[in-house]
Amino acid sequence: MSSNHKQSKSMAYQEFGDTSNSEALERSVPDLPPQQQNIRIQATRSGRKGKTVTVITGFQHSPDTLNKLLKQLKSQCGSGGTMKEDTLEIQGDHRQKLLKVLGDLGYKVKISGG
């Protein structure tokens, strides 16, 4: 390599367009109807200092839709919870209740794990 090439902090290769448009960089999530989604419910305590948390995975919704669903599920279970990426976490072991509630909403739901 010759010493004439300056190292720059800019991008070396950019295939498409301007990166300043943050809306274009957000990943698009298809908002599928509940009947087309396979949801898994699992109770876990790993990494949570012994507290049981019900983890619900497999959603293909926008973050806004997931937040509304999380709020509804938390009120049904009477406990707190959070959303991490496309995963909902409800405090406590609510597998059976969530199985019924999500099934009533039209989701294909299974309980996984022990």
Side-chain angles (χ1 to χ4, degrees), residues 4 38 40 48:
N4 293 348
N38 293 314
R40 299 271 185 248
R48 292 176 177 85

Side-chain angles (χ1 to χ4, degrees), residues 81-99:
T82 188
M83 180 175 79
K84 294 183 180 174
E85 295 173 11
D86 294 334
T87 302
L88 301 182
E89 295 182 359
I90 308 288
Q91 294 172 357
D93 186 352
H94 299 285
R95 288 177 291 187
Q96 294 303 321
K97 186 179 286 189
L98 290 170
L99 181 71

Side-chain angles (χ1 to χ4, degrees), residues 8-22 24-25:
S8 69
K9 294 183 181 181
S10 65
M11 190 178 304
Y13 174 78
Q14 179 178 339
E15 189 170 348
F16 296 109
D18 183 12
T19 58
S20 64
N21 185 358
S22 64
L25 295 176

Side-chain angles (χ1 to χ4, degrees), residues 99-112:
L99 181 71
K100 181 182 182 332
V101 170
L102 289 171
D104 291 346
L105 291 173
Y107 291 95
K108 293 186 238 173
V109 189
K110 288 185 181 175
I111 293 180
S112 66

Side-chain angles (χ1 to χ4, degrees), residues 37-55:
Q37 299 192 44
N38 293 314
I39 307 302
R40 299 271 185 248
I41 301 174
Q42 178 179 359
T44 182
R45 293 196 321 211
S46 63
R48 292 176 177 85
K49 298 180 183 173
K51 307 274 189 204
T52 302
V53 173
T54 306
V55 180

Side-chain angles (χ1 to χ4, degrees), residues 23-37:
E23 287 180 26
L25 295 176
E26 289 181 20
R27 68 189 161 98
S28 65
V29 178
D31 226 345
L32 292 178
Q35 301 81 3
Q36 296 179 17
Q37 299 192 44

